[in-house]
Amino acid sequence: MRKTPGPNIARILYDAYPESDLLPLEPEQDCRDLESLCAKVRSDDFGDPLFRFLVLEIVEGGEGTLDGAIRVVKRARKDVDAVLQALLSARAEHLEESPKDANRASGPRETHLGIWRCSDCRRAVYRTHRKIARAGPPCCPGCGRPMQLA
């Protein structure tokens, strides 16, 4: 019995990537399979480090399978989200410590960040006061419960 080929992960990645038409690739040739795409992005003159990272992670960490690719991209998204949350936290702390803020009238400005925390799972999100005024208090993305201002 002949094994049917799975989906073309290289082409899925190329088609889904924002502004992929700007990448230095010929999709019909370079995205025919993961090995071809990997060889192309390993070249020194490949310009987009994020696309290169995704391809190499999928090839090396995802075993070249669709399930492996999904697992690798989910892990990368979780890692990037952790870094983003740390940067937002640092920015929020910097805004609180800034001497300019001490000279301003008390009370939150509509562009200041508020840190909202879930009382159950302790996940934190950052929202501007303008966004809270427009949309209301956020719900936890992890468990769906309403969050409290930290």
Coordinates of all heavy atoms in Angstrom, one line a residue, residues 70-144:
I70 N 3.2 22.1 14.8 CA 2.3 22.8 15.7 C 2.8 22.9 17.1 O 2.8 24.0 17.7 CB 0.9 22.1 15.7 CG1 0.2 22.2 14.3 CG2 0.0 22.6 16.8 CD1 -0.9 21.3 14.1
R71 N 3.4 21.8 17.6 CA 4.0 21.8 18.9 C 5.1 22.9 19.0 O 5.2 23.6 20.0 CB 4.5 20.4 19.2 CG 5.0 20.3 20.7 CD 5.6 18.9 20.9 NE 6.8 18.7 20.1 CZ 6.9 17.8 19.1 NH1 5.9 17.1 18.7 NH2 8.0 17.7 18.5
V72 N 6.0 22.9 18.1 CA 7.1 23.9 18.1 C 6.6 25.3 18.0 O 7.1 26.2 18.8 CB 8.1 23.6 16.9 CG1 9.0 24.7 16.7 CG2 8.8 22.3 17.2
V73 N 5.7 25.6 17.2 CA 5.2 27.0 17.1 C 4.4 27.4 18.3 O 4.5 28.5 18.8 CB 4.3 27.2 15.8 CG1 3.6 28.5 15.8 CG2 5.2 27.0 14.6
K74 N 3.7 26.5 18.9 CA 3.0 26.8 20.2 C 4.0 27.1 21.3 O 3.8 28.0 22.1 CB 2.1 25.6 20.7 CG 0.8 25.6 19.9 CD -0.1 24.5 20.5 CE -1.5 24.5 19.9 NZ -2.3 23.4 20.5
R75 N 5.1 26.3 21.4 CA 6.1 26.6 22.4 C 6.8 27.9 22.1 O 7.0 28.7 23.1 CB 7.2 25.5 22.3 CG 8.2 25.6 23.4 CD 9.2 24.4 23.5 NE 9.9 24.3 22.2 CZ 10.0 23.2 21.5 NH1 9.5 22.1 21.9 NH2 10.7 23.2 20.4
A76 N 7.1 28.2 20.9 CA 7.7 29.5 20.5 C 6.8 30.7 20.9 O 7.2 31.7 21.4 CB 8.1 29.6 19.0
R77 N 5.5 30.5 20.6 CA 4.5 31.6 21.0 C 4.5 31.8 22.5 O 4.4 32.9 23.0 CB 3.1 31.2 20.4 CG 2.1 32.3 20.8 CD 0.7 31.9 20.2 NE 0.2 30.7 20.8 CZ -1.0 30.2 20.4 NH1 -1.7 30.8 19.5 NH2 -1.4 29.1 21.0
K78 N 4.5 30.7 23.2 CA 4.5 30.8 24.7 C 5.8 31.5 25.2 O 5.7 32.4 26.1 CB 4.5 29.4 25.3 CG 4.4 29.4 26.8 CD 4.3 28.0 27.3 CE 4.4 27.9 28.8 NZ 4.5 26.6 29.3
D79 N 6.9 31.2 24.6 CA 8.2 31.9 25.0 C 8.1 33.4 24.6 O 8.6 34.2 25.4 CB 9.4 31.2 24.3 CG 9.6 29.8 24.7 OD1 9.0 29.4 25.8 OD2 10.3 29.0 24.1
V80 N 7.7 33.7 23.4 CA 7.6 35.1 23.0 C 6.6 35.9 23.9 O 6.8 37.0 24.3 CB 7.2 35.2 21.5 CG1 6.8 36.6 21.1 CG2 8.3 34.7 20.6
D81 N 5.5 35.2 24.3 CA 4.5 35.9 25.2 C 5.1 36.1 26.5 O 4.9 37.2 27.1 CB 3.3 35.0 25.3 CG 2.2 35.7 26.1 OD1 1.8 36.9 25.7 OD2 1.7 35.2 27.1
A82 N 5.9 35.2 27.0 CA 6.6 35.5 28.3 C 7.5 36.7 28.3 O 7.6 37.5 29.2 CB 7.4 34.2 28.8
V83 N 8.3 36.8 27.2 CA 9.2 37.9 27.0 C 8.3 39.2 26.9 O 8.7 40.2 27.5 CB 10.1 37.7 25.8 CG1 10.9 39.0 25.5 CG2 11.0 36.6 26.0
L84 N 7.3 39.2 26.1 CA 6.4 40.4 26.0 C 5.8 40.8 27.3 O 5.8 42.0 27.6 CB 5.3 40.1 25.0 CG 4.2 41.2 24.8 CD1 4.9 42.5 24.3 CD2 3.1 40.7 23.9
Q85 N 5.4 39.9 28.1 CA 4.8 40.2 29.4 C 5.9 40.9 30.3 O 5.6 41.8 31.0 CB 4.2 39.0 30.1 CG 3.0 38.4 29.3 CD 1.8 39.4 29.3 OE1 1.6 40.2 30.2 NE2 1.1 39.4 28.1
A86 N 7.1 40.3 30.2 CA 8.2 40.9 31.0 C 8.5 42.4 30.6 O 8.7 43.2 31.4 CB 9.4 40.1 31.0
L87 N 8.5 42.6 29.3 CA 8.7 43.9 28.8 C 7.6 44.9 29.1 O 7.9 46.0 29.5 CB 8.9 43.9 27.2 CG 10.1 43.2 26.7 CD1 10.1 43.0 25.2 CD2 11.4 43.9 27.1
L88 N 6.4 44.4 29.0 CA 5.3 45.3 29.4 C 5.3 45.6 30.9 O 5.0 46.7 31.3 CB 3.9 44.6 29.1 CG 3.6 44.5 27.6 CD1 2.4 43.6 27.3 CD2 3.4 45.9 27.0
S89 N 5.7 44.6 31.7 CA 5.8 44.8 33.1 C 6.9 45.9 33.5 O 6.7 46.7 34.3 CB 6.1 43.5 33.8 OG 6.3 43.7 35.2
A90 N 8.0 45.7 32.8 CA 9.1 46.7 33.0 C 8.7 48.1 32.6 O 9.0 49.0 33.2 CB 10.4 46.2 32.2
R91 N 8.0 48.2 31.5 CA 7.5 49.5 31.0 C 6.5 50.1 32.1 O 6.6 51.3 32.4 CB 6.8 49.4 29.7 CG 6.4 50.8 29.2 CD 5.8 50.8 27.8 NE 4.6 50.1 27.8 CZ 3.8 50.0 26.7 NH1 4.3 50.4 25.5 NH2 2.7 49.3 26.7
A92 N 5.6 49.3 32.6 CA 4.7 49.7 33.6 C 5.4 50.2 34.8 O 5.0 51.2 35.4 CB 3.7 48.6 33.9
E93 N 6.4 49.4 35.3 CA 7.2 49.8 36.4 C 7.9 51.1 36.2 O 8.0 52.0 37.0 CB 8.1 48.7 36.8 CG 7.5 47.5 37.4 CD 8.4 46.4 37.6 OE1 9.7 46.6 37.5 OE2 8.0 45.2 37.9
H94 N 8.5 51.3 35.0 CA 9.2 52.5 34.6 C 8.3 53.7 34.6 O 8.6 54.8 35.1 CB 9.8 52.3 33.2 CG 10.5 53.6 32.8 ND1 11.7 54.0 33.3 CD2 10.2 54.5 31.8 CE1 12.0 55.2 32.7 NE2 11.1 55.5 31.8
L95 N 7.0 53.5 34.1 CA 6.1 54.6 34.2 C 5.7 55.0 35.6 O 5.6 56.2 35.8 CB 4.8 54.2 33.4 CG 4.9 54.1 31.9 CD1 3.6 53.6 31.3 CD2 5.3 55.5 31.3
E96 N 5.7 54.1 36.5 CA 5.3 54.4 37.9 C 6.5 55.1 38.6 O 6.3 55.9 39.4 CB 5.0 53.1 38.6 CG 3.7 52.5 38.2 CD 3.5 51.1 38.9 OE1 4.3 50.7 39.7 OE2 2.4 50.5 38.6
E97 N 7.7 54.8 38.2 CA 8.9 55.4 38.8 C 9.4 56.7 38.2 O 10.2 57.4 38.7 CB 10.1 54.4 38.8 CG 9.8 53.1 39.6 CD 10.8 52.1 39.4 OE1 11.8 52.3 38.6 OE2 10.7 51.0 40.0
S98 N 8.8 57.0 37.0 CA 9.3 58.2 36.3 C 9.1 59.5 37.0 O 8.0 59.7 37.6 CB 8.6 58.3 34.9 OG 8.9 59.4 34.3
P99 N 10.1 60.4 37.2 CA 9.9 61.6 37.9 C 8.9 62.5 37.2 O 8.2 63.3 37.8 CB 11.3 62.3 37.8 CG 12.2 61.4 37.1 CD 11.4 60.2 36.7
K100 N 8.7 62.4 35.9 CA 7.7 63.2 35.2 C 6.3 62.9 35.7 O 5.5 63.7 35.9 CB 7.7 62.9 33.7 CG 8.9 63.5 33.0 CD 8.9 63.2 31.5 CE 10.1 63.7 30.8 NZ 10.0 63.4 29.4
D101 N 6.1 61.6 36.0 CA 4.8 61.2 36.5 C 4.5 61.8 37.9 O 3.3 62.1 38.2 CB 4.6 59.7 36.6 CG 4.5 59.0 35.3 OD1 4.2 59.7 34.3 OD2 4.9 57.8 35.1
A102 N 5.5 62.0 38.7 CA 5.3 62.6 40.0 C 4.8 64.0 39.9 O 4.1 64.5 40.8 CB 6.6 62.5 40.8
N103 N 5.2 64.7 38.9 CA 4.7 66.1 38.7 C 3.3 66.3 38.1 O 2.8 67.3 38.1 CB 5.7 66.9 37.8 CG 7.1 66.9 38.5 OD1 7.2 67.0 39.7 ND2 8.1 67.0 37.7
R104 N 2.8 65.2 37.6 CA 1.5 65.2 37.0 C 0.4 65.1 38.0 O 0.6 64.7 39.2 CB 1.4 64.1 36.0 CG 2.3 64.3 34.8 CD 2.1 63.2 33.8 NE 3.0 63.4 32.7 CZ 3.4 62.4 31.9 NH1 3.0 61.2 32.2 NH2 4.2 62.6 30.9
A105 N -0.8 65.5 37.6 CA -1.9 65.4 38.6 C -2.1 63.9 38.9 O -1.9 63.0 38.1 CB -3.2 65.9 37.9
S106 N -2.6 63.7 40.2 CA -2.8 62.3 40.6 C -3.9 61.7 39.8 O -4.8 62.4 39.3 CB -3.0 62.3 42.1 OG -4.2 63.0 42.4
G107 N -3.9 60.4 39.8 CA -5.0 59.7 39.1 C -4.4 59.2 37.8 O -3.5 59.7 37.2
P108 N -5.0 58.1 37.3 CA -4.5 57.5 36.0 C -4.9 58.3 34.8 O -5.9 58.9 34.8 CB -5.2 56.1 36.0 CG -6.4 56.3 36.8 CD -6.1 57.3 37.9
R109 N -4.0 58.4 33.9 CA -4.2 59.0 32.6 C -4.8 57.9 31.7 O -4.5 56.7 31.9 CB -3.0 59.5 32.0 CG -2.4 60.7 32.8 CD -1.1 61.1 32.3 NE -1.0 61.3 30.9 CZ -0.8 62.4 30.2 NH1 -0.5 63.5 30.9 NH2 -0.7 62.5 28.9
E110 N -5.5 58.3 30.7 CA -6.2 57.3 29.9 C -5.2 56.4 29.1 O -5.5 55.3 28.6 CB -7.2 57.9 28.9 CG -6.6 58.9 27.9 CD -7.7 59.5 27.0 OE1 -8.9 59.4 27.4 OE2 -7.3 59.9 26.0
T111 N -3.9 56.9 28.9 CA -3.0 56.1 28.2 C -2.1 55.3 29.1 O -1.2 54.5 28.7 CB -2.1 57.0 27.3 OG1 -1.5 58.0 28.1 CG2 -2.9 57.6 26.2
H112 N -2.2 55.4 30.4 CA -1.4 54.6 31.4 C -1.8 53.2 31.4 O -3.0 52.9 31.2 CB -1.5 55.2 32.8 CG -0.7 56.4 33.0 ND1 -0.5 57.0 34.2 CD2 0.1 57.1 32.2 CE1 0.3 58.0 34.1 NE2 0.7 58.1 32.9
L113 N -0.9 52.3 31.6 CA -1.2 50.9 31.7 C -1.7 50.5 33.1 O -1.2 51.0 34.1 CB 0.0 50.0 31.4 CG 0.4 49.9 30.0 CD1 1.7 49.1 29.9 CD2 -0.7 49.2 29.2
G114 N -2.7 49.7 33.1 CA -3.2 49.1 34.3 C -2.9 47.6 34.3 O -3.0 46.9 33.2
I115 N -2.4 47.0 35.4 CA -2.1 45.6 35.5 C -3.3 44.9 36.1 O -3.7 45.2 37.2 CB -0.8 45.4 36.3 CG1 0.4 46.1 35.7 CG2 -0.5 43.9 36.4 CD1 1.6 46.1 36.6
W116 N -3.8 44.0 35.3 CA -5.0 43.2 35.8 C -4.5 41.8 36.0 O -3.8 41.2 35.3 CB -6.1 43.2 34.7 CG -6.6 44.6 34.5 CD1 -6.0 45.6 33.9 CD2 -7.8 45.1 35.1 NE1 -6.8 46.8 33.9 CE2 -7.9 46.5 34.7 CE3 -8.8 44.6 35.9 CZ2 -9.0 47.3 35.0 CZ3 -9.9 45.4 36.2 CH2 -10.0 46.7 35.8
R117 N -5.0 41.2 37.2 CA -4.5 39.9 37.6 C -5.7 39.0 37.9 O -6.7 39.5 38.5 CB -3.6 40.0 38.8 CG -2.9 38.7 39.1 CD -1.8 38.8 40.1 NE -0.8 39.7 39.7 CZ 0.3 39.3 39.0 NH1 0.3 38.2 38.4 NH2 1.2 40.2 38.7
C118 N -5.7 37.8 37.5 CA -6.7 36.8 37.7 C -6.5 36.3 39.2 O -5.4 35.9 39.5 CB -6.6 35.6 36.8 SG -7.9 34.4 37.1
S119 N -7.5 36.3 40.0 CA -7.4 35.9 41.4 C -7.3 34.3 41.5 O -6.8 33.8 42.5 CB -8.6 36.3 42.2 OG -9.8 35.8 41.6
D120 N -7.7 33.6 40.4 CA -7.6 32.2 40.5 C -6.2 31.6 39.9 O -5.5 30.9 40.6 CB -8.7 31.5 39.7 CG -10.1 31.8 40.3 OD1 -10.1 31.9 41.6 OD2 -11.1 31.8 39.6
C121 N -5.9 32.0 38.7 CA -4.7 31.4 38.1 C -3.5 32.4 38.1 O -2.4 32.1 37.7 CB -4.9 31.0 36.7 SG -5.3 32.3 35.5
R122 N -3.7 33.6 38.6 CA -2.6 34.6 38.8 C -2.0 35.2 37.5 O -1.0 35.8 37.5 CB -1.5 34.1 39.7 CG -2.0 33.6 41.1 CD -2.7 34.6 41.9 NE -1.8 35.7 42.3 CZ -2.3 36.9 42.6 NH1 -3.6 37.2 42.6 NH2 -1.5 37.9 42.9
R123 N -2.7 34.9 36.4 CA -2.2 35.4 35.1 C -2.4 36.9 35.1 O -3.4 37.4 35.6 CB -2.9 34.8 34.0 CG -2.5 35.3 32.6 CD -3.2 34.6 31.5 NE -2.3 33.5 31.2 CZ -2.6 32.5 30.4 NH1 -3.8 32.4 29.9 NH2 -1.7 31.5 30.2
A124 N -1.5 37.6 34.5 CA -1.6 39.1 34.5 C -1.7 39.6 33.0 O -1.1 39.0 32.1 CB -0.3 39.8 35.1
V125 N -2.5 40.6 32.8 CA -2.6 41.3 31.5 C -2.5 42.8 31.7 O -2.7 43.3 32.8 CB -3.9 40.9 30.8 CG1 -4.0 39.5 30.4 CG2 -5.1 41.4 31.5
Y126 N -2.1 43.5 30.7 CA -1.9 44.9 30.8 C -2.8 45.6 29.8 O -2.9 45.2 28.6 CB -0.4 45.2 30.4 CG 0.5 44.5 31.3 CD1 1.0 43.2 30.9 CD2 1.0 45.0 32.5 CE1 1.8 42.5 31.7 CE2 1.8 44.3 33.3 CZ 2.2 43.0 32.9 OH 3.1 42.3 33.7
R127 N -3.6 46.5 30.3 CA -4.5 47.3 29.5 C -4.4 48.8 29.8 O -4.2 49.1 31.0 CB -6.0 46.8 29.8 CG -6.3 45.4 29.5 CD -6.4 45.2 28.0 NE -6.8 43.8 27.7 CZ -6.0 42.8 27.5 NH1 -4.7 42.9 27.6 NH2 -6.5 41.6 27.2
T128 N -4.6 49.6 28.8 CA -4.6 51.0 29.1 C -6.0 51.4 29.7 O -7.0 50.7 29.5 CB -4.4 51.9 27.8 OG1 -5.5 51.6 26.9 CG2 -3.1 51.6 27.1
H129 N -6.0 52.5 30.4 CA -7.3 52.9 31.0 C -8.3 53.3 29.9 O -9.5 53.1 30.1 CB -7.0 54.1 32.0 CG -6.2 53.6 33.2 ND1 -6.8 53.0 34.2 CD2 -4.9 53.7 33.5 CE1 -5.9 52.7 35.1 NE2 -4.8 53.1 34.7
R130 N -7.8 53.8 28.8 CA -8.7 54.1 27.7 C -9.4 52.8 27.2 O -10.6 52.8 26.9 CB -7.9 54.7 26.5 CG -8.7 55.0 25.3 CD -7.9 55.5 24.1 NE -7.2 56.7 24.5 CZ -6.0 57.0 24.0 NH1 -5.4 56.3 23.1 NH2 -5.4 58.2 24.3
K131 N -8.6 51.7 27.1 CA -9.2 50.4 26.6 C -10.2 49.9 27.6 O -11.3 49.4 27.3 CB -8.1 49.4 26.3 CG -8.7 48.2 25.7 CD -7.5 47.3 25.2 CE -8.1 46.1 24.4 NZ -7.0 45.3 23.8
I132 N -9.9 50.0 28.9 CA -10.8 49.6 30.0 C -12.1 50.4 29.9 O -13.2 49.9 30.1 CB -10.1 49.7 31.4 CG1 -8.9 48.8 31.4 CG2 -11.1 49.3 32.5 CD1 -9.2 47.3 31.2
A133 N -12.0 51.7 29.7 CA -13.2 52.6 29.7 C -14.0 52.2 28.5 O -15.3 52.2 28.6 CB -12.7 54.0 29.6
R134 N -13.4 51.8 27.4 CA -14.2 51.4 26.2 C -14.7 50.0 26.3 O -15.9 49.8 25.9 CB -13.2 51.5 25.0 CG -13.9 51.5 23.7 CD -13.0 51.8 22.5 NE -11.7 51.1 22.6 CZ -10.5 51.6 22.5 NH1 -10.4 52.9 22.2 NH2 -9.4 50.9 22.6
A135 N -14.0 49.0 26.8 CA -14.4 47.6 26.7 C -14.7 47.0 28.1 O -15.3 45.9 28.1 CB -13.3 46.8 26.1
G136 N -14.4 47.7 29.2 CA -14.7 47.1 30.5 C -13.5 46.3 31.0 O -12.6 46.1 30.3
P137 N -13.6 45.8 32.2 CA -12.5 45.0 32.8 C -12.3 43.7 32.0 O -13.3 43.1 31.4 CB -13.0 44.7 34.2 CG -14.1 45.6 34.5 CD -14.7 46.0 33.2
P138 N -11.1 43.3 31.8 CA -10.8 42.1 31.0 C -11.1 40.8 31.8 O -11.2 40.8 33.0 CB -9.3 42.2 30.8 CG -8.8 42.9 32.0 CD -9.8 43.9 32.4
C139 N -11.3 39.8 31.0 CA -11.5 38.4 31.5 C -10.2 37.7 31.3 O -9.4 38.0 30.3 CB -12.6 37.7 30.8 SG -14.2 38.4 31.2
C140 N -9.9 36.8 32.2 CA -8.6 36.0 32.1 C -8.6 35.2 30.8 O -9.5 34.4 30.6 CB -8.5 35.1 33.3 SG -7.0 34.1 33.3
P141 N -7.5 35.3 30.0 CA -7.4 34.4 28.8 C -7.2 33.0 29.1 O -7.5 32.1 28.3 CB -6.2 35.0 28.1 CG -5.5 35.8 29.1 CD -6.4 36.2 30.2
G142 N -6.8 32.7 30.4 CA -6.5 31.3 30.7 C -7.8 30.6 31.2 O -8.1 29.5 30.8
C143 N -8.5 31.2 32.1 CA -9.7 30.5 32.7 C -11.0 31.2 32.5 O -12.1 30.7 32.8 CB -9.5 30.3 34.2 SG -9.4 31.9 35.2
G144 N -11.0 32.4 31.9 CA -12.2 33.1 31.5 C -12.9 33.9 32.6 O -14.0 34.5 32.4

